[in-house]
Structure formats: structure tokens, C-alpha cells
Amino acid sequence: MFAQQGFERTTVDDIAAAAGIGRRTFFRYFASKNDLVWGDFQAHLAWLEQLLAAAAPSLPMMDALRAAIVEFNRYDPADVPWHRQRMELILNTPTLQADATLRYAAWRRIVTAFAARRTGLPPSDMLPRLIGHAALGAALSAYATWLAGPGFGSVRSAGHGGTPARSGLRHVGRPGRRRIALSADPGGLRAL
């Protein structure tokens, strides 16, 4: 319905009627129609935490992060068309973009906490925060590229968006590299 009518023009009453339930029943499961698009995002975030916690300590931080993000974004091939519509809505609907800010902040906190553990810095330090923001930016950029054209054939391909951030941040977390300066280059962010 969102794809056919548009997110804003589709009401909770429309959704409830199509599902054969009452409005009150809808609100027993979802706080808003925004939540319907996101699904059980809290469970997905818990899974991301588990993936990062399970990463081998010997695996370089950015490689571990990339692997977890790719796995986090893996979908059954049968679900990919639905997921494509869902991501189109999330990335292109102003109401959902505003709602996404809170969800992305929760995602970044998980990545920032992982980076803090790996670097030995507090999560409030600039470096773990930078890694959280850069990883989210890379993931969103990969999704936007995937949605824009046929060059990315699967959701798994979208996970490769972590590569530029990984190459640009490959030196972070090493002893003696606490101070960093950033520059943009064709390979992504560069830690100097």
C-alpha cells in the first residue's frame, strides 16, 4: 500500500482494513505506521551487537565491523524485493527519514561501543564516534547506490560500502594513533 499510494496518503485505517483487523488491534502491535516499515528493529540491533561481540579479537577492527554489517544486512533472496521497497521508503520518505534519525543513533551507539572496546578508548572519545558515523554513512551510501541502479544485484552487495571507510580508517585503533586528522580522497576517509 505504501508503494502504491505513498506513505503519507496511506492511513492506519487503510492498513487495518487491508489486514482485516481493527485500528485498536493494529496499535497493539505497532505504535505507529512508521514502526510497520521498520519491523522489529530492536531485535535486529540486538543481533548486530551479537555479531560484533562474536568477532574474533585477532580480526582487525574494520574487517570485523564490515563482516558484521554485511551479515546484518543479509536477506533471503525471496525477501529482497520487499526489502528494496522498504529501503526506498526509509531513504526517500521525509517522515521516515526523521524517524530514522533515532534508529540510526541506536545503530551508531552499538558500533561506537564496539570501536571503543577495540581501541581501548571511551565511547565518548572522537575516534569511536567517528567510526560509528563513518560506518553508518558507508552503509547508507551503499544502500542508496543499490537502490539507484542495477549495478548492485543484491543486498549483500550493499555491505561492500564499508570498504571505503575501512580503507580510510585502517590505521585507527593502533597504539600511538590517538590524534587524527581527516581528509577526503577517492578511497574514502583517511586517518592521518
Side-chain angles (χ1 to χ4, degrees):
M1 291 179 76
F2 293 150
Q4 292 171 352
Q5 297 175 192
F7 182 80
E8 299 297 344
R9 289 188 300 261
T10 304
T11 67
V12 170
D13 290 330
D14 295 335
I15 297 164
I21 61 173
R23 181 180 173 88
R24 288 177 54 173
T25 302
F26 175 88
F27 285 114
R28 283 190 201 132
Y29 294 94
F30 301 99
S32 71
K33 69 180 182 179
N34 295 3
D35 292 331
L36 184 62
V37 175
W38 283 93
D40 191 358
F41 194 64
Q42 289 302 320
H44 282 75
L45 290 178
W47 185 43
L48 178 59
E49 279 186 297
Q50 291 170 2
L51 290 169
L52 291 170
S58 61
L59 189 62
M61 176 178 60
M62 296 308 286
D63 291 339
L65 183 56
R66 180 188 169 279
I69 292 171
V70 168
E71 186 59 33
F72 178 76
N73 287 290
R74 187 182 309 275
Y75 285 84
D76 185 286
D79 293 334
V80 169
W82 170 84
H83 185 58
R84 180 179 279 276
Q85 284 185 335
R86 183 173 155 286
M87 291 308 297
E88 285 274 1
L89 284 168
I90 289 170
L91 294 179
N92 297 311
T93 304
T95 301
L96 290 172
Q97 288 175 344
D99 184 59
T101 301
L102 298 174
R103 296 172 200 267
Y104 292 154
W107 189 96
R108 274 194 327 268
R109 277 192 296 275
I110 292 167
V111 173
T112 298
F114 170 75
R117 287 191 303 273
R118 284 295 187 99
T119 61
L121 298 170
S124 60
D125 193 85
M126 181 188 154
L127 184 56
R129 286 181 180 187
L130 171 65
I131 292 167
H133 280 272
L136 178 62
L140 292 176
S141 178
Y143 263 113
T145 302
W146 176 63
L147 293 172
F152 281 76
S154 69
V155 177
R156 187 171 184 271
S157 299
H160 293 289
T163 302
R166 184 192 69 201
S167 64
L169 296 173
R170 67 181 170 269
H171 299 293
V172 300
R174 291 186 182 169
R177 299 293 287 193
R178 185 167 168 82
R179 291 185 177 198
I180 62 169
L182 300 175
S183 66
D185 66 17
L189 291 174
R190 177 117 7 228
L192 305 173

